[in-house]
Amino acid sequence: MHDTSTIDRRALLGGIATAAALAASPARAGGTNALTAASASALAEAIRTRRVTAAEVVEVHLARIAAVNPQLNAVVQLTADSARREAAAADAALARGEAPKPLHGVPVTIKDTLETAGVVCTGGTLGRAAYVPKADATAVARLRAAGAIVLGKTNVPELAGALETDNLVYGRTNNPYDLARTAGGSSGGEAAIVAAGGSPLGLGTDAGGSIRVPAHYCGLAALKPTSGRIPRTGQFPRPMGARNSVFHVSLIARRVDDLALALPIVAGPDFRDYTIVDMPLRDPHAVGLRGLKLAFFDDDGASAPTPEIAAAVRAAARAFAEAGLTVEERRLPEAETAAAVYYDMTRGDGGAGTRAFLRSIGTERISPLFEQSLGTRAAPAMAGITEALAAFARWDAFRNAQLAFLQGYDAVLSPVAPYVAPAHGTSFDPALQRGVGYAQNHNLTGWPAVAVRVGTSPEGMPIGVQVAAHPWREDVALALGRHLEASLGGFAPPAI
């Protein structure tokens, strides 16, 4: 079902006599070789056809992490011993003639807000600095059951509460394209190590842009699925309460096809998360682009994009028009209010409950970044229940207005953010905060959204765009992202 690109097949399989020769092949941009530059889909096929062993794939990725992580600080728990054991077992299973699994022997990394049995899971907070879960999060368990091999855990901001990654447990994660800039948040560690070639596929989360913003900052492909598609069981903190539906377990990779490969593996009810719906998944490779109708906008009315990002959105719109889509420049209704609607629902008690929760798990000292988050997003506290109810009523009205708009279109194209990755420590600057609505918009609606790289800024930083589709139509979002990747270049490795 899942195709592997011609480029990946040539790079990984064509004319390669042995896996050892592949691993020792001349370094590409950023010091990667053919294995660490390959997609998860291509690695799965190479292992399945026994052109390379899982042990060799794991070893070369561990070596890549060792080479880049001192500069990035992306991988915060390395599970090298268990990864080697699991790779040996995967190779032995193939040698016995057992049928390969969809991700048989493919290395992956996991965001440090998703629990992993026997491996420390901190959520970026001091109170859990030594916390070892007894069970995997549902999505992690499903990746393992499909044959994936976990290499380690990746860094996050405290409680995943910022669009840059820094905490008092592990420190700051750097962007592989420019170490002086953030890799984003809250899935910043995932984005950094996947972009740098240390992992082909990552599992993250997205409650307000947390997978798509790091993908944009680090030049990757990412999928925030429909709300209700992937269980959040084992996510820390566990999504609960009235804002439950903005939280999404999500996927990040260098290629869109890898998102399509992994989505059916992690999706579907687990009978632990009551919000998950058993909706069929459709094949993105079966989506015909000609005749689809797309709306696009490059300015949400709240934060104007850089000229380069506006140009990238328009280039993406042209690529769709050339593929036979009907393309219209129309902004989502009330798009300029998305950030205000989102933050009005987070104020509540002004952060008192969050502080009490942190104390309850043993966190007596909060990171400066999370203090900024509480001060920016949780203040001022709401005056009372009437104001709180009004905030959630505005959310309902926002969702209804946007859904009515979507009735006339198959998808909506826009920036992920109106700027490229900023310098460390600046994500809460007022000018940057005004730009968060582009990503938060689709957490409010719950629509599936794919981010993909389509260009490069004058500073050499990646530029991504996002395409959102109807609820439960991840196939359309993935197919459109795949077309942009093919038309406009997609991932380009950093020089690290």
Side-chain angles (χ1 to χ4, degrees):
M1 172 178 172
H2 298 283
D3 188 27
T4 303
S5 72
T6 304
I7 294 173
D8 283 336
R9 289 176 189 272
R10 284 202 301 265
L12 189 59
L13 303 175
I16 296 170
T18 66
L22 180 60
S25 64
R28 298 182 175 190
T32 59
N33 60 43
L35 279 178
T36 57
S39 68
S41 303
L43 291 172
E45 181 176 323
I47 294 168
R48 180 168 58 248
T49 56
R50 301 178 70 176
R51 301 294 297 273
V52 65
T53 67
E56 288 158 337
V57 170
V58 163
E59 204 61 49
V60 77
H61 281 87
L62 290 172
R64 182 62 181 160
I65 291 171
V68 300
N69 204 53
Q71 298 174 78
L72 298 178
N73 190 34
V75 177
V76 292
Q77 291 287 330
L78 189 67
T79 55
D81 291 344
S82 62
R84 290 179 174 121
R85 288 194 301 270
E86 291 166 19
D91 290 330
L94 289 181
R96 291 192 298 269
E98 294 183 16
K101 300 171 181 177
L103 290 174
H104 198 96
V106 175
V108 299
T109 41
I110 308 295
K111 182 179 181 177
D112 195 35
T113 55
L114 292 164
E115 295 194 337
T116 39
V119 182
V120 169
C121 176
T122 74
T125 193
L126 288 172
R128 283 175 53 114
Y131 178 77
V132 180
K134 295 180 180 179
D136 284 331
T138 293
V140 176
R142 288 174 173 177
L143 287 178
R144 290 191 199 271
I149 296 174
V150 174
L151 298 180
K153 304 295 292 292
T154 55
N155 207 20
V156 297
E158 189 162 10
L159 297 194
L163 288 177
E164 59 183 297
T165 296
D166 194 356
N167 61 64
L168 295 177
V169 183
Y170 297 121
R172 186 180 76 192
T173 294
N174 300 320
N175 190 305
Y177 292 87
D178 182 345
L179 300 179
R181 297 173 185 258
T182 180
S186 58
S187 306
E190 272 307 315
I193 201 60
V194 171
S199 170
L201 178 67
L203 191 64
T205 61
D206 190 319
S210 288
I211 203 81
R212 289 161 293 143
V213 170
H216 163 56
Y217 287 176
C218 295
L220 298 171
L223 168 67
K224 181 198 76 63
T226 306
S227 178
R229 178 68 83 181
I230 302 175
R232 286 85 47 84
T233 309
Q235 182 177 340
F236 173 81
R238 182 165 186 172
M240 302 283 281
R243 294 179 62 247
N244 191 318
S245 67
V246 305
F247 294 87
H248 305 68
V249 171
S250 302
L251 296 159
I252 192 165
R254 293 186 292 271
R255 298 295 176 192
V256 172
D257 275 349
D258 292 345
L259 309 175
L261 171 64
L263 177 60
I265 293 168
V266 296
D270 68 347
F271 298 93
R272 299 293 183 273
D273 183 343
Y274 79 91
T275 69
I276 305 307
V277 180
D278 192 13
M279 287 290 289
L281 276 166
R282 307 187 198 192
D283 182 2
H285 296 89
V287 174
L289 300 188
R290 186 169 296 277
L292 294 181
K293 192 171 181 181
L294 177 114
F296 81 94
F297 63 96
D298 60 19
D299 189 332
D300 69 355
S303 180
T306 66
E308 295 79 23
I309 288 176
V313 172
R314 292 180 178 276
R318 286 194 299 274
F320 286 138
E322 291 166 0
L325 281 79
T326 299
V327 176
E328 295 180 1
E329 185 171 4
R330 286 192 66 191
R331 190 164 72 198
L332 282 166
E334 303 180 33
E336 72 280 2
T337 71
V341 170
Y342 187 95
Y343 285 133
D344 273 353
M345 298 185 304
T346 69
R347 292 191 290 119
D349 61 3
T354 299
R355 293 180 188 278
F357 169 73
L358 286 168
R359 289 193 298 272
S360 76
I361 62 171
T363 296
E364 298 296 336
R365 189 160 56 101
I366 299 174
S367 68
L369 183 66
F370 196 59
E371 285 284 6
Q372 279 187 287
S373 181
L374 289 174
T376 301
R377 300 178 176 185
M382 289 182 174
I385 189 64
T386 300
E387 186 180 2
L389 290 174
F392 284 93
R394 284 193 294 273
W395 183 17
D396 285 342
F398 178 91
R399 287 187 282 191
N400 285 337
Q402 296 219 340
L403 191 61
F405 175 91
L406 196 62
Q407 186 177 14
Y409 297 95
D410 295 290
V412 180
L413 165 71
S414 72
V416 178
Y419 39 75
V420 296
H424 291 296
T426 64
S427 65
F428 286 106
D429 289 1
L432 298 184
Q433 277 293 295
R434 287 193 291 272
V436 298
Y438 290 93
Q440 289 171 339
N441 195 107
H442 301 310
N443 295 93
L444 293 171
T445 64
W447 301 347
V450 168
V452 63
R453 181 175 180 166
V454 297
T456 305
S457 77
E459 310 97 317
M461 300 303 296
I463 294 174
V465 297
Q466 63 180 341
V467 184
H470 284 235
W472 312 111
R473 294 307 305 267
E474 288 89 352
D475 59 321
V476 172
L478 289 163
L480 293 172
R482 193 169 184 255
H483 178 72
L484 290 182
E485 184 179 80
S487 302
L488 300 175
F491 176 75
I496 190 172

